[in-house]
Amino acid sequence: MPDLVGTPERSTERRPQLSIVIPAYNEQENIGPCLDDLMAFLLDEHHIATEVIVVNDNSQDQTEAVVLERKQRWPSIRLVRRQPPGGFGRAIRTGLQYVRGEVVIVYMGDRSDHPVDAKRYYDTIQEGYDCVFGSRFVRGAEVKRYPRVKLIVNRLVNKAIEWMFWTSMNDLTNAFKAYRADVIERCGPYRACHFNITLEMSLSALISGYRIKEIPIGWEGRTWGSTNLRMREMGRRYLCTLLMLFFQRVLMSDDVVAEGNREMQNSIEVSLPEKIRPRPVARTSIGSDQSQRAEEQDHDSGGNTPGGEPM
């Protein structure tokens, strides 16, 4: 089980408006400025009640110490320590177990995503949308330092997804997205262990029929450290998730939509009305029953031994 590091939040506290989940693996140089930017912009400047859940995914550096240092200034920062095995998807799934906010955003700890876009996500959800998906490849988006080979693969994969799922959304593999908390609850539990969770979350919401808006965002390639995404290794995982959700979309769309629309508390246990509940029966031991029968026989025979002779 993951550990929550620091003082647990009291259940009596007001529910946050926004929960941001950040998976972190060896991000000691990035996570501090990332948290500074987020909390100063969302909480201090715009007064959005925000909790940030940083999931330390078995880091070997000082990531955890940096997060705890920021928590002293912003107590709504929460640190969750995961145990092996690691994995981006496992870290996201762990973070989702701890969210308490009405809106949930998955955010990268390498500073590739921008706080201003996180606020735009939150504001768009308030307009009545269930999900907001950012795109780096629509008019108004701004992308810097995107590795060329990765960019080509991204465009090919996302074009295939557009065809398979009959959608105009063109950046579904990007992790940076926002969901109402109840959407995540209905679409989950998620199973992906690595970067393929980005597809599992976005496509699950898409095929369930939720109201989704795509908006342009900014994105910057990391300037410190290296990504843990290995495209050749992840290919089979992306393919598995893609095919699983494709066949759900084609063969089980009615069930998928019905699950997305279901009430979370859709069953109750039925009890008998008070007036017809069976009364409890007193239980006695076998020895007690035999003694009671012997006493009754003695009473019937006048308390005498067999033959009627007194003792």
Side-chain angles (χ1 to χ4, degrees):
M1 288 294 293
D3 299 323
L4 182 63
V5 182
T7 304
E9 304 292 339
R10 296 193 303 271
S11 59
T12 56
E13 291 184 356
R14 183 167 65 94
R15 182 182 185 186
Q17 297 169 286
L18 176 62
S19 293
I20 298 179
V21 176
I22 303 179
Y25 175 73
N26 290 346
E27 294 286 4
Q28 66 178 13
E29 299 296 330
N30 290 320
I31 195 65
C34 174
L35 293 173
D36 292 341
D37 294 344
L38 272 173
M39 300 306 282
F41 185 77
L42 296 174
L43 186 61
D44 297 346
E45 181 176 345
H46 291 281
H47 309 292
I48 299 172
T50 304
E51 67 171 3
V52 176
I53 301 168
V54 180
V55 183
N56 180 17
D57 192 24
N58 305 284
S59 297
Q60 304 300 312
D61 61 2
Q62 296 301 308
T63 294
E64 193 167 287
V66 174
V67 175
L68 290 176
E69 180 183 349
R70 265 52 179 198
K71 183 177 174 63
Q72 295 179 25
R73 177 177 177 184
W74 294 290
S76 60
I77 293 176
R78 305 167 69 192
L79 174 63
V80 178
R81 180 190 300 143
R82 284 203 77 257
Q83 303 299 324
F88 182 84
R90 293 187 179 103
I92 293 295
R93 284 160 39 197
T94 297
L96 294 178
Q97 295 174 15
Y98 286 84
V99 299
R100 299 178 302 143
E102 302 166 3
V103 178
V104 179
I105 293 178
V106 176
Y107 196 92
M108 299 300 286
D110 59 5
R111 305 186 72 192
S112 58
D113 304 321
H114 299 160
V116 65
D117 290 326
K119 182 179 182 298
R120 292 174 60 226
Y121 279 6
Y122 177 78
D123 292 340
T124 305
I125 292 283
Q126 302 312 305
E127 296 173 6
Y129 290 93
D130 298 309
C131 313
V132 185
F133 293 175
S135 175
R136 296 163 289 183
F137 307 105
V138 295
R139 179 174 297 180
E142 185 177 356
V143 178
K144 299 179 181 178
R145 297 188 298 275
Y146 204 120
R148 185 169 182 80
V149 174
K150 185 179 175 182
L151 175 62
I152 294 172
V153 173
N154 177 292
R155 294 294 76 216
L156 291 174
V157 170
N158 275 281
K159 180 56 68 175
I161 294 171
E162 289 181 56
W163 292 337
M164 293 174 67
F165 290 86
W166 312 311
T167 179
S168 60
M169 297 183 186
N170 67 359
D171 199 9
L172 290 170
T173 55
N174 185 23
F176 181 36
K177 294 181 174 66
Y179 306 82
R180 289 192 186 275
D182 62 292
V183 172
I184 289 177
E185 190 173 3
R186 287 184 170 92
C187 290
Y190 302 109
R191 301 296 184 186
C193 298
H194 299 279
F195 284 94
N196 50 324
I197 198 171
T198 60
L199 270 183
E200 185 179 17
M201 292 183 69
S202 60
L203 290 178
S204 293
L206 180 67
I207 68 177
S208 295
Y210 287 109
R211 192 178 180 207
I212 303 171
K213 184 172 184 179
E214 184 178 64
I215 65 174
I217 59 171
W219 186 91
E220 298 183 37
R222 64 168 59 237
T223 58
W224 184 90
S226 60
T227 179
N228 203 32
L229 172 63
R230 300 177 178 87
M231 287 186 293
R232 188 175 297 179
E233 182 179 318
M234 287 296 139
R236 60 185 174 88
R237 297 186 173 105
Y238 275 108
L239 181 62
C240 177
T241 300
L242 190 60
L243 292 178
M244 176 187 71
L245 290 162
F246 173 74
F247 285 116
Q248 285 185 19
R249 171 70 176 83
V250 173
L251 301 178
M252 300 170 54
S253 60
D254 53 340
D255 290 337
V256 172
V257 173
E259 282 294 295
N261 293 330
R262 78 189 191 279
E263 293 293 333
M264 296 309 298
Q265 298 295 333
N266 62 352
S267 61
I268 59 172
E269 182 178 358
V270 179
S271 301
L272 285 172
E274 186 70 32
K275 62 181 180 180
I276 63 173
R277 287 184 185 173
R279 293 183 178 180
V281 179
R283 300 182 61 129
T284 57
S285 64
I286 296 176
S288 300
D289 291 342
Q290 291 174 344
S291 298
Q292 184 176 358
R293 287 196 295 269
E295 290 175 359
E296 291 173 353
Q297 290 174 357
D298 288 344
H299 177 73
D300 293 340
S301 61
N304 297 330
T305 58
E309 294 292 331
M311 293 291 289

